[in-house]
Each structure stands twice: as C-alpha cells, then as structure tokens.
Amino acid sequence: MKEVQFRQAVCEAMSEEMRRDSSIFLIGEEVANYNGAYKASKGMLDEFGPKRVIDSPIAESGFSGISVGAAMNGCRPIVEYMTFNFSLVAIDQIINNAAKIYQMSGGQWNVPIVFRGPTGSAGQLGATHSQAFESWFANCPGLKVIVPSNPYDAKGLLKSAIRDNDPVIFMESEQMYGDKMEIPEDEYLLPIGVADIKKEGSDVTIVSFGKIMKVALQAAEELEKENIHAEVIDLRTIRPLDYDTIITSVKKTNRLVLLIEEWPFASIAGEIAYMIQQKAFDYLDAPIKRITTADTSAPYSAPLFNEWYPKASEVVKAVKKSLYK
C-alpha cells in the first residue's frame, strides 16, 4: 500500500492506461505545460510528449468536438474541463454527438471517450462556478456518469472508464484533490455501476456520493454516539445506478435518508426515492428523507454559503425524524 493524494490517483490512472494503450491521449486547458489546473496531470507531458498531452485553446466546444471525432476514428481521448461548469460550452458535443453516435450509426461507431473535471461547489467561487451537473448528464441515455469520493475509488474507476467503449462523464472536486488515502501499489480496477457500503449499520440507510460523502460519514459518526447505527452507501456511479445495493440496505434498516449535493428539483435523490417506493415500499417504516443544497444558485457570501450547503447536523436531524426520535 502507498499513500497518495486524490490528484495523484487521477494522474496514476491516466498514466498507467496511456502506457498500456498508445491510442489514449489527454487534452484540455493547461493539462500539459502547467501540469494541469489542479496538478492532476503532473509529469505527463514529460513522459508522453505534446502529441498525447495536449494544451488546448479556451474553446471547450472545439476540443471536445475534435475528441469525439478522434474517438470515432480509433483513439481513446480523455478530455479535461477546468470545471464542469465550462462543459456547458461543449454540451452539444457531449449530448448530441458523443452520447448518440453509437445508436444513430446502428452500432457502427463506438465513442470511447472520458470527459473529466471537477463538479459542484468549492467554497466561495460564485454561482457560475458552483454547480452540480450529475443529474443533467445522467438524464441522457448513452452516457455513463461516475462521481468518486476518495482516491482509491477515483483511480480504480477512472481506469475502468478509460477502458470503457462508451462515453463516460467522470466528475471530481477541487476540494478533494488534496485528500490523502492509502491505495494498492499493484494495478487494480473497480467496476462501473457498483455502489460501495462505506459503513455498515442496522438502523437507517444514508445514501450519498462525491465529496459530500464526508458529511454523510461525519453524521454517521455523530449518530454512533447516540447508539444509532447508520449504514452509509456511496453510489460512486450515478449512471448506471446500483439500485440493488440500496434496496437490500433499506430492507435491512427500513429507513432511508438521501444526502445529495444538488438542487432539489429533478435531482438524483428523486429518482432513488421513486425506485425505493416501487421496489421496497413495504419495508419502509418511515417516509424517505431528502437533504440537498438550497433551491437557489450558490451564494458567494461565506455565511450564506454555509446556510446553502448541507451540514452533518441536518443529516442527524433527518435520521432522528425517520426514527421518530
């Protein structure tokens, strides 16, 4: 085992795959000479050269479209956005091209491409840089969506995403790049579409993903002090979503609290709640609780942001309500 930062895990995943397969290249703003905006591609230009680690102009639609075309012609591009807020400039290339080419060509063209970069809020960055788009991309058939919460998951899932023959949205967070964790020194991959139980429990199921998993685990720790044993599930993959793991847990705990760093309307939480009431309604002993960001754009003001973003105390309160305490 070795200790690595999240950014190192991402870099290792890309580098290992690029050594294995010469058709893979990385493209994006500042990925080469600057070693990545968050240093997630540090050293890659020196190893792989400017033909495989490519600094692009500030033109997301352009370099995303080039990469989709390259994927259709035998390459396996990794497209880095400095933030997924900037992917909106390229959303036509992602939604109307990458996600649909396989179906519209009758299976003649695969589009093996990874679109990666940070999602969600990262503190006082303003409303236009603090948006979570998981539900947007997951809503589109043809895309796979991955949101890891730690370095171990990030490396294993990114390697699987790069090897996948379909377009994958791989979402990270500026606030996780410095997170440290021990991971295996040997190569490993993690399957796409499989959730992970980060903590086992018997009283309530808490489901989350991405960096807000830290809040979920903090809440679970606080609940343990009151002899309330929460089972915490990290979705890891948003599409395909691992409903079975959630359903199995709810059948055991009979209660469900969803903690999602998204706006409440049309969120991933709504999809999960619907499926649970379809597949495990008779096992529920309390209404499903949902905790999201406030239904407004992220404020810049620190005190307002603190009110906007979900806290562990809100999760604890929701769990107690579901337990009628």
Side-chain angles (χ1 to χ4, degrees), residues 211-220 259 309-313 315:
K211 76 171 186 289
I212 205 168
M213 273 296 302
K214 297 177 184 177
V215 176
L217 291 168
Q218 181 187 349
L259 173 63
Y309 193 79
K311 295 177 283 296
S313 59
V315 182

Side-chain angles (χ1 to χ4, degrees), residues 2-27:
K2 60 181 179 180
E3 186 177 69
V4 302
Q5 290 184 329
F6 193 104
R7 58 170 58 88
Q8 292 173 281
V10 169
C11 185
E12 285 187 10
M14 294 190 293
S15 297
E16 288 176 13
E17 292 305 302
M18 287 175 70
R19 292 180 197 120
R20 189 185 63 85
D21 186 343
S22 62
S23 70
I24 301 167
F25 66 87
L26 171 65
I27 187 170

Side-chain angles (χ1 to χ4, degrees), residues 41-291:
S41 54
K42 187 175 181 179
M44 291 180 65
L45 175 62
D46 293 338
E47 179 175 355
F48 300 105
K51 289 188 176 181
R52 297 186 66 198
V53 181
I54 305 165
D55 274 333
S56 69
I58 303 174
E60 286 80 8
S61 180
F63 65 76
S64 298
I66 288 169
S67 299
V68 171
M72 293 171 63
N73 283 278
C75 293
R76 306 183 80 88
I78 305 168
V79 178
E80 178 180 310
Y81 298 119
M82 198 175 294
T83 161
F84 258 96
N85 296 279
F86 300 162
S87 75
L88 299 190
V89 181
I91 202 165
D92 178 61
Q93 297 291 348
I94 300 170
I95 299 295
N96 281 332
N97 292 319
K100 294 180 173 60
I101 290 296
Y102 183 76
Q103 185 217 35
M104 292 179 69
S105 70
Q108 295 180 80
W109 280 302
N110 288 98
V111 185
I113 188 170
V114 175
F115 301 98
R116 53 159 291 269
T119 186
S121 62
Q124 292 179 268
L125 295 183
T128 56
H129 286 198
S130 304
Q131 304 173 101
F133 295 117
E134 295 88 355
S135 60
W136 288 34
F137 290 113
N139 184 251
C140 179
L143 296 176
K144 296 176 180 178
V145 181
I146 299 172
V147 192
S149 67
N150 60 67
Y152 173 81
D153 290 350
K155 182 175 181 180
L157 286 166
L158 182 52
K159 285 172 69 69
S160 294
I162 294 168
R163 296 188 189 190
D164 200 284
N165 286 326
D166 294 313
V168 179
I169 306 292
F170 194 90
M171 295 175 148
E172 302 153 16
S173 169
E174 293 100 322
Q175 292 186 328
M176 291 197 299
Y177 285 119
D179 290 358
K180 294 181 179 180
M181 186 179 189
E182 285 194 344
I183 68 172
E185 292 191 14
D186 297 332
E187 182 182 50
Y188 67 95
L189 287 87
L190 294 176
I192 296 172
V194 179
D196 187 39
I197 298 175
K198 299 299 188 190
K199 176 186 174 299
E200 294 191 355
S202 56
D203 296 327
V204 63
T205 299
I206 300 174
V207 173
S208 189
F209 62 88
K211 76 171 186 289
I212 205 168
M213 273 296 302
K214 297 177 184 177
V215 176
L217 291 168
Q218 181 187 349
E221 188 176 333
E222 291 297 317
L223 289 164
E224 284 290 335
K225 297 174 183 176
E226 301 186 43
N227 203 34
I228 298 172
H229 310 297
E231 183 147 289
V232 183
I233 296 174
D234 183 351
L235 292 178
R236 301 197 296 194
T237 303
I238 307 307
R239 184 156 185 166
L241 203 152
D242 184 359
Y243 297 105
D244 290 343
T245 295
I246 307 171
I247 291 167
T248 300
S249 180
V250 168
K251 286 181 177 180
K252 177 175 68 172
T253 67
N254 311 118
R255 290 168 174 83
L256 176 61
V257 173
L258 301 164
L259 173 63
I260 312 291
E261 187 191 343
E262 287 183 340
W263 294 306
F265 190 84
S267 70
I268 300 299
E271 166 65 17
I272 296 171
Y274 171 78
M275 289 302 295
I276 293 302
Q277 69 93 11
Q278 283 288 304
K279 303 289 187 179
F281 179 79
D282 290 338
Y283 292 89
L284 289 170
D285 288 342
I288 297 170
K289 301 293 183 184
R290 177 185 69 177
I291 303 164

